[in-house]
Amino acid sequence: MRRLPRSLFGKLLLGQIVIVVVIAVALPLLLSRMLNDTADAFVAARLEHEANTFLNGSMADGPPVLRDRGNRFFALFDGGGTVLIARPQVLPFDLADLPHGAKQTFATWGRYDLLTRPVKLSGGRSGWMVVAQDRTHPEEIVDDIVRSFLRRFAWVIAAALLGSLLLSFIVLRHVTGMFRDAATDADAIGLSRLDGRIDEARMPSEAMPLVHATNRALDRLEAGYRAQGDFVGNVAHELRTPLALISLRLEQLPVSPEREQIGRSVDQANHVIRQLIDLAAIDRLHPQLGMVDPAAVAREAVEGMVPIVYRSGHSIAFEEPEQPPCRVRGVAELLSIAVTNLIDNAVRHTPAGSAIVVSAAADGSLTVEDDGPGLAVDARDPAARRFRRGDTARSDSAGLGFSIVERIVGVCGGSLETGRSAAGGALLRLRLDPTPLA
């Protein structure tokens, strides 16, 4: 047994084909029945009209004159069934055997349509009259009516079939539009929008079990992802204490190349731990989007990094536009983490004496630039691209700091742009969304 098409469109199309075939078979039968009923009614009316015409005048003047009407047959009987007048003289069958009574009746006898009706004969006698017509030789007017009926009914059939197809197209377009909306909702779900779900209110009832199951699976994935983030954050916090103890013990050791090497490794480990804590903060804070002042966020981040920048032998400046920049979507704490990471990256990967400039633009974007060796981006894998400085194989932590910044701006609905500053160093711009939250 062949299976039905998996495509919803295919199923609806197959259903429409079945409907059209059924209609194409059933309608001729219905049409034939309607035509027969219409023809019978018309012929009965015509025969009644002929009978009235032939019986006009007074019966006192004698029996009516029956005129020959081609394929029509006429006969007049008295109460005893004797033929008084017949046209033609030799009738095709014995009309005296036909049932008759006190009321006018219409019947079919073989290939003949018959009308019988009572009449009053001269002298007060009762009789009855028969008007018959050969159905195989209908009058031209019957043919005209049948042709007219067929033309009108054929138009009705065509309109009905086209209307059915049009209605199916509209319904199919509406249903497929619902699935396209669901696909759009699903595409929007990602690391920057873990709370996104497929809108159940816009889906047809037949798809609700699948939508419910998908949304429940997304709930479980979000819960697992957040649990993993909490675990990473907790582990990072736990590692800070032993690293701090290691740093204290190192300070008690005599100065040596080994001590300096271990100290750099500890600093690197502390840096990675801070970034892991920042990642945990993204997962914890991203649903709390609001409208924030980007200049205020950047200013606070610069003020917090001033001691570290100066201690490394660098300089830092903050520039903001003459007019206050527009507010942007985001979480102030997350944007501060992003700016801090960019400043920290510039400190770590530029020579001593390099200048770092943080600026806010009127459109709400934030820029961090330096006069160091510049930045190269490996774009072979856009989903997991790696950033590296122009004079190194790759940045520390395999670009983890930049990945954190990209995730933050993604959560805030913005993007991270990279380029070269006027001094030839790296330029990184946080392009943020000024659209007000609904």
Side-chain angles (χ1 to χ4, degrees):
M1 180 178 179
R2 298 186 63 182
R3 299 177 59 185
L4 292 174
R6 293 185 60 185
S7 167
L8 177 62
F9 179 82
K11 292 178 181 178
L12 290 177
L13 179 61
L14 180 60
Q16 280 298 306
I17 293 174
V18 172
I19 291 174
V20 169
V21 170
V22 170
I23 291 177
V25 173
L27 279 181
L29 299 178
L30 178 62
L31 175 62
S32 176
R33 179 62 180 271
M34 293 178 64
L35 280 174
N36 287 332
D37 293 342
T38 303
D40 288 345
F42 174 76
V43 171
R46 291 297 300 170
L47 294 181
E48 181 180 4
H49 175 73
E50 292 289 346
N52 291 332
T53 301
F54 296 146
L55 293 175
N56 59 0
S58 172
M59 297 298 294
D61 298 333
V65 178
L66 300 178
R67 292 169 292 174
D68 195 350
R69 293 279 179 160
N71 293 313
R72 297 264 172 79
F73 305 95
F74 310 93
L76 182 64
F77 299 86
D78 60 13
T82 302
V83 178
L84 301 177
I85 303 174
R87 291 289 187 275
Q89 296 293 338
V90 179
L91 296 175
F93 54 91
D94 189 359
L95 296 178
D97 295 335
L98 296 176
H100 59 278
K103 295 182 178 180
Q104 177 177 292
T105 59
F106 176 79
T108 299
W109 188 282
R111 60 190 179 97
Y112 296 95
D113 295 315
L114 306 171
L115 178 75
T116 62
R117 60 175 298 173
V119 296
K120 290 293 186 180
L121 301 176
S122 59
R125 296 178 302 159
S126 297
W128 55 284
M129 179 182 183
V130 175
V131 182
Q133 177 176 290
D134 189 345
R135 187 179 280 267
T136 60
H137 300 282
E139 289 186 348
E140 184 178 353
I141 188 171
V142 178
D143 294 335
D144 292 341
I145 289 180
V146 170
R147 283 193 295 269
S148 176
F149 178 82
L150 285 175
R151 284 195 298 268
R152 294 182 180 183
F153 198 76
W155 181 88
V156 172
I157 293 176
L161 293 178
L162 289 177
S164 175
L165 291 175
L166 179 61
L167 179 61
S168 298
F169 175 77
I170 293 173
V171 172
L172 179 62
R173 184 180 179 87
H174 178 65
V175 173
T176 53
M178 292 180 176
F179 283 101
R180 283 193 296 269
D181 292 340
T184 302
D185 292 340
D187 283 338
I189 300 171
L191 292 179
S192 62
R193 193 190 166 193
L194 291 172
D195 57 338
R197 296 294 181 270
I198 299 175
D199 188 359
E200 299 178 357
R202 295 186 297 179
M203 295 302 296
S205 58
E206 293 81 1
M208 291 309 297
L210 177 59
V211 174
H212 285 318
T214 301
N215 285 339
R216 287 194 298 267
L218 291 172
D219 290 338
R220 294 190 295 270
L221 289 174
E222 180 184 8
Y225 185 83
R226 297 201 183 284
Q228 183 183 27
D230 293 339
F231 175 76
V232 171
N234 293 333
V235 170
H237 279 289
E238 291 296 328
L239 288 175
R240 297 181 72 176
T241 300
L243 286 173
L245 293 175
I246 293 174
S247 297
L248 290 175
R249 294 292 179 86
L250 280 175
E251 292 179 359
Q252 299 173 3
L253 296 175
V255 177
S256 65
E258 290 79 8
R259 171 185 164 178
E260 295 298 327
Q261 183 178 4
I262 294 174
R264 287 193 297 269
S265 298
V266 171
D267 289 341
Q268 177 65 22
N270 278 319
H271 178 64
V272 173
I273 287 174
R274 285 196 301 270
Q275 291 180 324
L276 291 177
I277 294 175
D278 290 344
L279 282 173
I282 297 174
D283 297 331
R284 185 179 72 255
L285 296 173
H286 86 82
Q288 305 174 14
L289 287 179
M291 302 304 292
V292 301
D293 182 355
V297 170
R299 187 185 307 109
E300 292 178 2
V302 170
E303 291 173 354
M305 289 295 292
V306 164
I308 298 175
V309 173
Y310 286 164
R311 190 164 54 246
S312 302
H314 295 69
S315 65
I316 188 168
F318 174 65
E319 300 176 352
E320 56 183 314
E322 296 180 359
Q323 298 294 330
C326 60
R327 298 174 70 84
V328 296
R329 290 187 177 193
V331 181
E333 184 175 343
L334 293 182
L335 291 177
S336 178
I337 291 173
V339 177
T340 299
N341 267 276
L342 294 180
I343 297 173
D344 182 72
N345 180 77
V347 170
R348 288 174 175 273
H349 299 285
T350 55
S354 297
I356 303 170
V357 179
V358 180
S359 59
D363 61 358
S365 61
L366 299 175
T367 303
V368 178
E369 52 187 323
D370 58 59
D371 54 2
L375 182 73
V377 181
D378 182 1
R380 288 173 297 178
D381 183 7
R385 51 184 187 158
R386 293 292 181 262
F387 299 86
R388 60 182 176 84
R389 288 285 168 170
D391 59 347
T392 59
R394 65 179 185 180
S395 67
D396 69 312
S397 307
L400 182 57
F402 286 120
S403 297
I404 292 174
V405 174
E406 281 199 312
R407 283 199 56 192
I408 290 175
V409 295
V411 165
C412 298
S415 60
L416 174 62
E417 298 177 355
T418 61
R420 186 172 294 275
S421 68
L427 183 148
L428 298 110
R429 179 174 290 111
L430 304 182
R431 186 72 67 181
L432 302 172
D433 186 4
T435 306
L437 292 170

